[in-house]
Amino acid sequence: MQQDSKQHAEQYHDSESKNVETSIVKEENDGYKRADYLRKVCQDDPQSKAELSFRGKVRVSYDSFYKVMFCPLCKIASTFWTRVFKMLEFNQARTHSVKTPFDVPISQAPASRQYVNLQSGTVDRHDATESFRFMFVRNPYSMVFSAYVDKIVGPNPTMWKTFGEAGVKLIRKTNSRSCGSDLTFTEFLQLILYTDKSHRPLDCHVKQFFECKPCAVNYTYIGKMETFKDDTYHILNKFGQTQTLEVFNHSFSALHAEDAIDDSVSGPFSWKNAIVKCMPWAKALGRVWRKLQIRGVVGASKFPLSDEEASIISKEDFKKLVVEHGKTASSPERSQLKRQAYQEAFNSVPNEVLEGIRTVYLREFKLFGYDDRPDELYNKQDTKQQHGILEYSNVKEDIQL
């Protein structure tokens, strides 16, 4: 599927859709430049250059009508884009009228089982050689922190077992008394290092990006989580999703927050019987609250329920409570919480562990233009006041920013 990179990029620049006003979709977009940069690094870097000859199969989502292909990676908007492709499928079949991917239940958007054959350039016998091919990436430091928050901070008994119990046993060399829910961020990173050093595959939530074969597929466009909204608008505009963009233009942030709340709350309530074997339910809901603070959904206010109130509150009432508190917090406050939590987490990590993580994801840093030694993580001499955001014992106190 290799072709002249300049011609390939110009093909899609010249076919810019006029369906949506420029107030919705920015004319300037860096996704094509990122793809050009990726192709250059792939040619220049010996390790990456070897991948150029790969002619196997890569798992993708593909729509033959719009000729668009997406390679999913865990923790990098894979669920969102899987729902986008399901939305396209529903609307083409006219079985549902779906305005946005958030209207597609996650249960109806299972992981794709499609594969692109790089030898023939086909997906399910469809010629995909001229398709618009994209993937999303994110800063590896941000990825591992997000995975920790979602899978350890937020109550998740399955992930506590996968990461927590294994981490406690291998890193602390003791048995966990709390199902692995007390795994620290540093221990989480040490587990990644141990797994990588043992030449075992990393869990998909912290895995390197090589499954998408970034040097072999010849991607048209590289989206980044750091510019998710702009990249998403641009890609949806490429295949004429005017109705979706019109909704997003007015309520994208609200829909995204609502979806984050539903995801963070519904899971723990469905796993309640397993969770209470590890910790009291009130403590578990307190950790859901802290997870949502770290994600910037609610502000710095304390967890508002007593143990008794937490024991009887319903899932829907808890969601309403989260929504109400989210509305009372300003956007700057929520953004500051996110930044502070990220900084505090990495301030706790020893330099040798941080350097190990840098090495594990060094290829990702190179391919996608991320700084592998950012000052905010490596220069710890002038650290700001710590607020104990990853200390769950203080969840019933306001965080003083």
Side-chain angles (χ1 to χ4, degrees), residues 155-188:
N156 188 324
T158 300
M159 291 295 105
W160 284 346
K161 186 175 184 66
T162 299
F163 288 112
E165 290 187 359
V168 170
K169 185 176 181 180
L170 291 170
I171 307 305
R172 289 187 207 163
K173 302 193 182 302
T174 62
N175 291 321
S176 175
R177 296 183 178 180
S178 57
C179 305
S181 64
D182 59 339
L183 189 76
T184 68
F185 182 55
T186 293
E187 290 170 338
F188 182 77

Side-chain angles (χ1 to χ4, degrees), residues 199-224:
H199 303 290
R200 299 175 184 175
L202 293 171
D203 180 90
C204 81
H205 298 93
V206 294
K207 204 167 192 175
Q208 300 97 328
F209 307 159
F210 57 76
E211 287 196 348
C212 281
K213 298 299 179 185
C215 290
V217 172
N218 192 24
Y219 286 97
T220 312
Y221 192 96
I222 303 296
K224 285 191 172 184

Side-chain angles (χ1 to χ4, degrees), residues 145 149 153 261 264 285-304 322 325 329 333-342 387-392 394-401:
F145 177 65
V149 172
V153 176
I261 292 169
S264 298
L285 288 187
R287 286 180 63 145
V288 172
W289 190 264
R290 182 51 52 88
K291 171 185 172 179
L292 290 167
Q293 287 179 317
I294 294 171
R295 291 190 65 174
V297 176
V298 296
S301 59
K302 65 184 178 181
F303 179 59
V322 171
H325 278 263
E333 176 186 329
R334 289 182 277 109
S335 295
Q336 185 179 352
L337 261 176
K338 288 178 67 175
R339 290 193 301 270
Q340 186 65 34
Y342 181 77
H387 298 280
I389 297 177
L390 293 180
E391 293 289 337
Y392 317 121
N394 65 5
V395 73
K396 291 189 177 183
E397 301 172 9
D398 292 343
I399 299 173
Q400 303 297 325
L401 294 175

Side-chain angles (χ1 to χ4, degrees), residues 111-150:
S112 173
R113 295 183 178 180
Q114 295 176 298
Y115 288 83
V116 58
N117 184 323
L118 296 184
Q119 181 66 41
S120 62
T122 58
V123 180
D124 298 336
R125 299 182 180 179
H126 295 286
D127 182 359
T129 55
E130 299 299 320
S131 62
F132 180 92
R133 300 181 292 282
F134 72 100
M135 64 180 289
F136 268 75
V137 297
R138 76 187 304 176
N139 188 311
Y141 293 125
S142 173
M143 179 183 70
V144 295
F145 177 65
S146 179
Y148 177 77
V149 172
D150 279 352

